[in-house]
Amino acid sequence: MKITTKLFLVFTCLLLVNFFAFAQSNKIRIACVGNSITQGNGGANTYPAQLGKILGSHYDIRNFGVSGRTLLRKGDSPYWNEAAFKNAKDFDPHIVIIKLGTNDSKPQNWIHKSEFYKDYVDLVNEFRKNGRKPQIYVASPCPAFKINWGINPTIIKNEVIPLIDSVRKATNTYLVDFNTPFLNRSDLFPDGIHPSNAGYLMMAQIADSTLMKSPSGIIRYFYATKTVLEKGDYSKIYWETTPGTTVTLNGKNVNPVDSLTITVSKSVTYKLISSGSVADTSTITIEYVPTGKIKSFNYIPKVLEKNTSDASLISWETSTESVVTLNGESVQRNGNLTVSPKTTTVYELKAVGEITETKKITVEVLDAEKINRSLNGTARASSSNSPFIIENVFDGNQDTFWKSGLEKAPWFYIDLNKSFEVYKIVLHWGNNYGKSYILQSINDAGAVSEIFAENAGDGGVDEFNNLSIVGRYFGIYCSSKNIPEAGCELKEFEVYARQNITGIEKEEAIPIKYSLVQNYPNPFNPETTISYKIQAASQVNLKVYDVLGNEVATLVNEYKQAGTYETKFNSGHFERSREMSSGVYFYTLKVGDPLLRSGHSFVQTKKMMLLK
């Protein structure tokens, strides 16, 4: 219901807080978890799809059913192992309907029946992790009218359903009864197990009726569009509760379904309390960032080589209306500066406002042999096991480490952000090290070259000296670990290299292939250089796009002779209406190539980062 009058709430703990209530229509997300009876044959002939039609546009219903899956972890096809399970949790549903248990009745699965109750409780709790509070319905399985595919009707009726009801009571969840209404409707189950289209419609009607009879007092959702505000900022808080609920927000009566626009001058916690057949409570904390706060102060690269033209890009961001200085000189509130100190130099950023904050960074200038080039790099990995992320292998701290997932052959590579002549690489392994692995270099085209193959690794520190490899990307492919069932662990990956004064990539008079080179510097602000190679005289087109695929700039659009070219891209050369913001952009090279003789063009795209 729309509130047509202004609502002023005054709290003793809060100064200068304004509230304006508005009607809202945010969708309620429903995740339908289950087996083939939930998955159906796709399209509109599933109970989740039919439920969506009945409930209407205020609900977003997603089907996360997977055919043949069990609730039991030790079943022949556990739902636990499916991407659908992860996707259902990532959907962050307000309502979850779990319909599993049918396949658990098969003989090879029900031998583990003693674990069914615990596994079901654990599954429910998976949806409650990280403070989430969805309304969860456990569903009794549809009756089985035949022993088909090993599914046992007697076990479903006498053992599975009673256990599910015990789970319901223990976990404070609700029941959708997909069993009782169908007991005399074998006509709706052509193969004795799966519903017909009419059966799916009846399932949807049962689910709809159950949802609409939800007890009063349940908070469907309570969230804010922004939880961190600066001076002059605002956020909008939304909430919805089940019909018949009495609701208070920070002690004041509000509508059961509504929204509120707020501004704050200090951090505030909002508490929504609902009461009805049940009681519920949810809180949101809005953090206020005062003027004078340094939000970020970064620099790339962190180490420069002595007696070269190396430069570091320093960037910073401070809160609204801050007065900012860098080494005593006034600078913009948010900005960046390229520096090329001759010796190690400390840079101090100071922001003044409601508070005063100071931060320092040190740009080191060292001899080449003392520089671990990986400290200036970026990396990718086959997987990472949070919080043991891949960035830990080049943070200069051996107390942190990267840990891969459970794949049999994990890998990672590091991008040094430009090419060097590498003469030494050092690996510092963790507890689970590579027994068999390949140390690799990778060129811009993605071609892999083997540096060294180890077949009897013993962990600790592996050091590779007297190398002479010109390259930019280096990594490890690990084919076996000392603990096969655990993730690979690496503390540090150090790369020592010299600048290649004569040019890292020796250019051919005529390039032997078409290629697009990674821009440098990257990240950049405001300017970066993009290089490309043309094998034969061709029409060349080079464009920049944002992440939505919108064209940002055309850098090249002309006929060019074979050769190697470079062009500058400056993010500041735009009208204010098209001003570029920080983020990821893509640049694409398209070449009409007469040598391909196929009528197709050479096309290559690379990613770059604008950091303001």
Side-chain angles (χ1 to χ4, degrees):
M1 181 178 72
K2 185 175 181 180
I3 296 179
T4 56
T5 60
K6 291 185 178 179
L7 179 64
F8 296 96
L9 306 179
V10 182
F11 306 113
T12 59
C13 63
L14 174 63
L15 298 175
L16 300 177
V17 180
N18 296 320
F19 297 82
F20 300 94
F22 298 93
Q24 49 83 27
S25 57
N26 288 275
K27 291 188 177 183
I28 295 175
R29 298 184 295 274
I30 301 179
C32 297
V33 170
N35 48 39
S36 59
I37 296 176
T38 297
Q39 180 182 4
N41 295 320
N45 293 323
T46 66
Y47 100 78
Q50 296 289 349
L51 180 61
K53 291 180 180 179
I54 295 171
L55 290 176
S57 60
H58 185 50
Y59 293 81
D60 182 2
I61 294 95
R62 303 284 177 90
N63 189 334
F64 296 103
V66 184
S67 179
R69 286 347 183 229
T70 66
L71 183 135
L72 282 161
R73 285 186 173 101
K74 292 182 180 177
D76 53 7
S77 296
Y79 188 80
W80 293 83
N81 300 339
E82 296 301 317
F85 182 36
K86 179 181 183 301
N87 294 338
K89 292 184 288 185
D90 291 345
F91 183 47
D92 190 14
H94 302 113
I95 298 172
V96 184
I97 301 175
I98 303 171
K99 205 208 80 61
L100 288 165
T102 301
N103 295 304
D104 297 86
S105 70
K106 297 176 182 179
Q108 69 270 28
N109 298 322
W110 203 237
I111 59 175
H112 305 293
K113 65 180 181 180
S114 63
E115 300 178 36
F116 186 86
Y117 174 86
K118 180 181 181 303
D119 285 352
Y120 210 133
V121 171
D122 289 347
L123 189 88
V124 167
N125 288 334
E126 282 289 318
F127 286 96
R128 291 172 170 168
K129 283 186 174 180
N130 303 316
R132 292 176 176 176
K133 297 172 62 178
Q135 184 182 4
I136 299 177
Y137 288 85
V138 296
S140 53
C142 298
F145 294 98
K146 294 180 182 178
I147 297 179
N148 218 344
W149 299 287
I151 294 169
N152 190 312
T154 302
I155 289 176
I156 290 175
K157 177 182 177 181
N158 296 333
E159 299 186 61
V160 173
I161 290 177
L163 281 171
I164 290 175
D165 198 53
S166 297
V167 170
R168 176 186 65 82
K169 295 173 183 176
T171 57
N172 293 316
T173 52
Y174 301 89
L175 178 68
V176 177
D177 186 358
F178 285 141
N179 187 273
T180 306
F182 287 114
L183 288 176
N184 297 316
R185 296 303 307 270
S186 60
D187 59 303
L188 297 178
F189 294 79
D191 62 6
I193 303 295
H194 300 91
S196 62
N197 291 345
Y200 282 130
L201 175 59
M202 185 170 169
M203 286 182 69
Q205 292 168 338
I206 293 168
D208 168 63
S209 175
T210 304
L211 293 177
M212 292 302 101
K213 293 177 182 177
S214 293
S216 59
I218 296 174
I219 297 174
R220 292 281 198 218
Y221 58 74
F222 182 46
Y223 73 95
T225 54
K226 295 172 68 175
T227 56
V228 179
L229 301 181
E230 298 182 33
K231 187 175 181 179
D233 253 350
Y234 71 92
S235 177
K236 198 167 186 178
I237 297 176
Y238 294 91
W239 65 89
E240 179 168 338
T241 63
T242 48
T245 301
T246 299
V247 186
T248 63
L249 179 63
N250 283 14
K252 297 292 184 178
N253 291 326
V254 293
N255 289 329
V257 181
D258 223 317
S259 63
L260 204 64
T261 299
I262 60 168
T263 61
V264 300
S265 59
K266 63 184 295 185
S267 296
V268 183
T269 296
Y270 293 90
K271 187 173 185 179
L272 192 75
I273 298 176
S274 65
S275 59
S277 299
V278 298
D280 204 356
T281 301
S282 188
T283 60
I284 295 173
T285 297
I286 305 296
E287 179 187 349
Y288 176 69
V289 181
T291 60
K293 177 72 175 178
I294 297 175
K295 295 160 65 177
S296 66
F297 189 31
N298 302 310
Y299 59 120
I300 301 175
K302 294 177 171 59
V303 183
L304 306 180
E305 185 175 336
K306 188 181 292 184
N307 300 322
T308 68
S309 59
D310 277 1
S312 182
L313 179 65
I314 300 174
S315 60
W316 61 90
E317 185 177 1
T318 65
S319 55
T320 301
E321 296 186 13
S322 300
V323 177
V324 185
T325 58
L326 180 64
N327 281 7
E329 298 289 333
S330 294
V331 292
Q332 294 180 344
R333 179 175 68 85
N334 301 325
N336 62 81
L337 180 68
T338 300
V339 298
S340 299
K342 301 303 179 185
T343 60
T344 296
T345 303
V346 175
Y347 294 88
E348 181 180 89
L349 188 74
K350 183 177 182 180
V352 179
E354 295 166 301
I355 64 171
T356 297
E357 191 167 28
T358 301
K359 289 187 177 181
K360 296 180 181 180
I361 59 172
T362 301
V363 178
E364 291 189 277
V365 182
L366 303 174
D367 293 327
E369 62 271 15
K370 296 181 180 179
I371 300 176
N372 173 12
R373 304 287 180 176
S374 72
L375 296 178
N376 295 331
T378 55
R380 289 188 61 189
S382 56
S383 64
S384 291
N385 195 338
S386 181
F388 309 111
I389 56 178
I390 187 58
E391 285 76 11
N392 290 343
V393 302
F394 57 97
D395 64 356
N397 181 2
Q398 292 193 32
D399 291 330
T400 64
F401 59 92
W402 165 61
K403 185 173 184 178
S404 73
L406 301 181
E407 65 268 28
K408 292 182 179 179
W411 57 263
F412 91 92
Y413 70 81
I414 191 164
D415 177 3
L416 303 181
N417 289 319
K418 66 177 180 178
S419 291
F420 291 94
E421 183 182 350
V422 173
Y423 64 86
K424 182 171 74 171
I425 295 176
V426 184
L427 312 180
H428 298 266
W429 293 102
N431 293 329
N432 193 15
Y433 53 83
K435 288 185 65 178
S436 298
Y437 64 88
I438 300 174
L439 185 64
Q440 303 171 327
S441 65
I442 308 166
N443 66 18
D444 284 327
V448 177
S449 299
E450 182 178 306
I451 299 173
F452 182 84
E454 174 62 76
N455 295 311
D458 57 1
V461 179
D462 288 340
E463 186 168 320
F464 303 89
N465 289 291
N466 301 316
L467 303 176
S468 181
I469 301 171
V470 174
R472 168 175 172 169
Y473 305 91
F474 295 86
I476 290 174
Y477 175 83
C478 183
S479 55
S480 71
K481 302 163 284 185
N482 68 308
I483 308 175
E485 64 274 13
C488 185
E489 297 178 9
L490 190 65
K491 295 179 179 179
E492 288 294 309
F493 185 82
E494 300 176 4
V495 181
Y496 296 89
R498 306 177 185 89
Q499 298 271 13
N500 189 343
I501 304 303
T502 60
I504 297 301
E505 296 180 1
K506 296 180 180 179
E507 306 295 353
E508 305 86 1
I510 297 179
I512 61 173
K513 63 180 181 179
Y514 297 93
S515 66
L516 179 62
V517 180
Q518 186 66 49
N519 65 302
Y520 183 80
N522 188 40
F524 71 97
N525 188 24
E527 189 173 79
T528 189
T529 299
I530 299 173
S531 302
Y532 56 95
K533 299 179 182 181
I534 305 301
Q535 181 183 353
S538 311
Q539 179 66 31
V540 178
N541 184 277
L542 180 61
K543 291 187 176 184
V544 177
Y545 300 89
D546 63 21
V547 293
L548 298 177
N550 300 311
E551 182 181 327
V552 174
T554 297
L555 304 182
V556 180
N557 187 20
E558 59 184 285
Y559 191 83
K560 286 186 175 293
Q561 299 297 319
T564 299
Y565 298 88
E566 67 176 37
T567 185
K568 302 287 187 182
F569 174 60
N570 192 311
S571 65
H573 292 171
F574 296 92
E575 298 175 3
R576 187 165 185 83
S577 61
R578 298 179 60 202
E579 184 177 1
M580 296 177 65
S581 58
S582 295
V584 173
Y585 292 85
F586 298 89
Y587 56 102
T588 297
L589 176 69
K590 293 184 180 180
V591 182
D593 177 8
L595 294 184
L596 289 176
R597 296 185 175 89
S598 63
H600 295 97
S601 296
F602 170 83
V603 179
Q604 189 172 9
T605 298
K606 288 186 177 291
K607 180 172 66 175
M608 60 183 175
M609 173 75 75
L610 174 60
L611 182 63
K612 288 190 171 183

